[in-house]
Amino acid sequence: MDLKTQCTAPSTLGHPNGGGIIRVRIRIGSTNANSGGMMYEATSWFTHPMYDDSTSDYDIAVIRVATGMTLNGNTTKAIELVDRGNDVTNGENVTATGWGAIREGGPTTSTLMEVTIPAVNRTRCRELIGNGITTRMFCAGLEEGGKDSCQGDSGGPAVVNNKLAGVTSFGRKVKSDDGKIVGGTDTTIEQYPHMAYLLLLKGLQYYQCGGSIVNRNYIVTAAHCLTGVSRVQIRIGSTDSNNGGTTYSTSSYTIHPRYDSRTSNFDIGVIRVVSGMTLNGNTTKAIQMVESGSDVADGDDVTATGWGATSEGGSTTTQLMKVTIPAINRTECNRLVGNGNGITTRMFCAGLPEGGKDTCQGDSGGPAVVNSLLAGVTSFGYGCARANSPGVYTRIGDSAIRSFIRSTTST
């Protein structure tokens, strides 16, 4: 590899743990993920043209730094790749490194970690986690478990005999789609009966999102939650995400035709429950949406709800949570997180300058309510509850968003 490119996985650039990438910042030359070394801003990135988000096939990408990176041969150095046609054989030692979580659902670490695990042949890997393991993939791990890469390690290196043989792609885990409740409080479904818990099947993995009941047949959520989904399992009418209420299953959904996964523009989708949902008016109830043209004003109280992580990199919760945060005008939000113009009129922002309260991983697609009306859908952000890093929400009142919902749901 030359000094202007880095390999990673498309999954880190545009699917579940990205929510639509606007900017890539790179730190090299440091054991600590948060300090030291050198920082660069990526100028462009390229995913494999055959990459399939639903199966993770061809999960490879390259990031370009046009100015070049300084490689000193000590703390910064290019790695040699294996030759074309090379394969990883059963039992070979595979060393993965990264700053990901040190346990499933746990927080990420700021210290670089490594783990060495044996490769597993594809036949056995298919028996263990499914027939979707192609020749573009290899597997590694202990059958008894205990050692693995984890959330936050995606895109990192898998090294065999000192050469780059692989890139961390996926595992058979229930993951949280990036979205983003931190600093909030427990609440109940009776207080927010429009709330829906979504478990989405993408390829071999399940992801968690939230949604809002808008009538007995439809739930509004984020487009990025639905990309590549083959099945949606829905739970409504329960404070607990894992128990109670009523469950439904569907594969019928519609994403806004102008949705852009790289910018998160038009990040809105609608799920259809053909048989209809039973709404009892107490624990299950449709929420009224804002009208077309309505906007969220600077300082408006925005209440978000969900079962997402209660800390950045932390585990999701089974208890429904709520948080109320002030809206921030687009000009200020663009200055803070939009790179000048990334926050469009199809979005609004909310958060505290000092941080401490926010939505988080697993809250994507859930409702953002203003004056008891559905004004937004949790879309994306940079981390959770960081200072000067507000969350970004899809604006329901945008005419193109509202007309899409109305034409799809008749609501």
Side-chain angles (χ1 to χ4, degrees):
M1 297 176 65
D2 65 33
L3 78 171
K4 295 185 179 180
T5 56
Q6 292 188 339
C7 279
T8 187
S11 52
T12 65
L13 296 177
H15 96 4
N17 295 332
I21 298 298
I22 298 173
R23 176 185 296 179
V24 178
R25 290 174 176 163
I26 302 159
R27 186 187 304 278
I28 64 172
S30 179
T31 302
N32 191 301
N34 298 327
S35 62
M38 291 169 287
M39 295 288 294
Y40 296 92
E41 187 102 0
T43 50
S44 55
W45 48 87
F46 311 91
T47 61
H48 195 288
M50 294 178 68
Y51 169 59
D52 187 335
D53 183 58
S54 66
T55 65
S56 294
D57 208 5
Y58 296 94
D59 190 13
I60 195 72
V62 173
I63 299 169
R64 182 171 187 255
V65 180
T67 56
M69 297 173 285
T70 301
L71 307 183
N72 60 25
N74 180 26
T75 59
T76 53
K77 184 178 179 181
I79 188 171
E80 185 180 352
L81 281 67
V82 295
D83 290 330
R84 180 176 178 173
N86 179 275
D87 203 356
V88 178
T89 60
N90 190 58
E92 278 196 296
N93 283 334
V94 179
T95 299
T97 48
W99 292 271
I102 55 175
R103 66 180 185 276
E104 185 171 347
T108 55
T109 174
S110 59
T111 299
L112 183 61
M113 305 287 287
E114 72 170 343
V115 66
T116 299
I117 42 182
V120 178
N121 69 70
R122 288 186 190 88
T123 300
R124 180 56 177 157
C125 193
R126 288 169 184 141
E127 292 173 355
L128 293 170
I129 65 173
N131 291 326
I133 304 302
T134 73
T135 56
R136 269 77 60 187
M137 309 171 187
F138 68 86
C139 304
L142 298 170
E143 294 211 12
E144 66 270 24
K147 292 185 176 184
D148 197 3
S149 49
C150 201
Q151 291 88 0
D153 291 319
S154 283
V159 175
V160 177
N161 296 324
N162 297 317
K163 293 185 178 181
L164 184 64
V167 166
T168 302
S169 180
F170 71 92
R172 195 174 185 181
K173 306 174 178 75
V174 175
K175 293 188 177 180
S176 299
D177 210 338
D178 200 31
K180 313 171 313 166
I181 288 259
V182 178
T185 57
D186 292 359
T187 190
T188 66
I189 200 67
E190 288 82 3
Q191 296 297 310
Y192 300 94
H194 54 272
M195 191 73 209
Y197 174 80
L198 310 177
L199 197 59
L200 309 118
L201 179 61
K202 299 183 183 183
L204 300 175
Q205 302 176 82
Y206 283 96
Y207 295 87
Q208 170 184 323
C209 276
S212 304
I213 304 168
V214 295
N215 64 38
R216 68 181 300 269
N217 288 104
Y218 291 97
I219 291 170
V220 167
T221 187
H224 78 263
C225 289
L226 299 174
T227 304
V229 165
S230 58
R231 200 78 188 161
V232 182
Q233 296 176 11
I234 303 160
R235 187 184 301 276
I236 62 172
S238 180
T239 301
D240 189 319
S241 62
N242 292 339
N243 297 285
T246 309
T247 58
Y248 300 89
S249 184
T250 183
S251 57
S252 178
Y253 60 85
T254 306
I255 292 172
H256 197 290
R258 295 176 66 186
Y259 168 59
D260 186 333
S261 63
R262 288 191 61 178
T263 64
S264 292
N265 212 9
F266 296 95
D267 189 14
I268 197 76
V270 173
I271 299 167
R272 182 177 181 226
V273 180
V274 178
S275 60
M277 296 172 285
T278 300
L279 307 183
N280 60 27
N282 180 30
T283 59
T284 52
K285 184 179 179 181
I287 187 171
Q288 185 178 346
M289 289 176 281
V290 296
E291 293 297 328
S292 180
S294 169
D295 205 352
V296 178
D298 190 46
D300 272 351
D301 281 341
V302 178
T303 298
T305 47
W307 291 273
T310 56
S311 63
E312 185 175 336
S315 56
T316 56
T317 174
T318 58
Q319 164 70 45
L320 183 60
M321 305 284 289
K322 71 169 182 178
V323 67
T324 299
I325 42 183
I328 298 172
N329 67 74
R330 283 186 196 88
T331 301
E332 177 65 5
C333 193
N334 262 312
R335 185 185 71 81
L336 292 171
V337 300
N339 199 25
N341 59 7
I343 305 302
T344 73
T345 56
R346 268 74 60 186
M347 309 170 187
F348 68 87
C349 303
L352 296 169
E354 67 272 23
K357 292 186 176 184
D358 198 1
T359 44
C360 203
Q361 288 86 6
D363 291 320
S364 275
V369 174
V370 178
N371 297 324
S372 300
L373 299 176
L374 184 64
V377 164
T378 302
S379 182
F380 72 95
Y382 296 94
C384 306
R386 296 180 184 180
N388 296 313
S389 187
V392 183
Y393 302 82
T394 303
R395 178 186 157 217
I396 300 291
D398 175 77
S399 59
I401 299 289
R402 191 65 181 87
S403 62
F404 163 76
I405 297 172
R406 183 175 289 111
S407 65
T408 307
T409 69
S410 300
T411 300

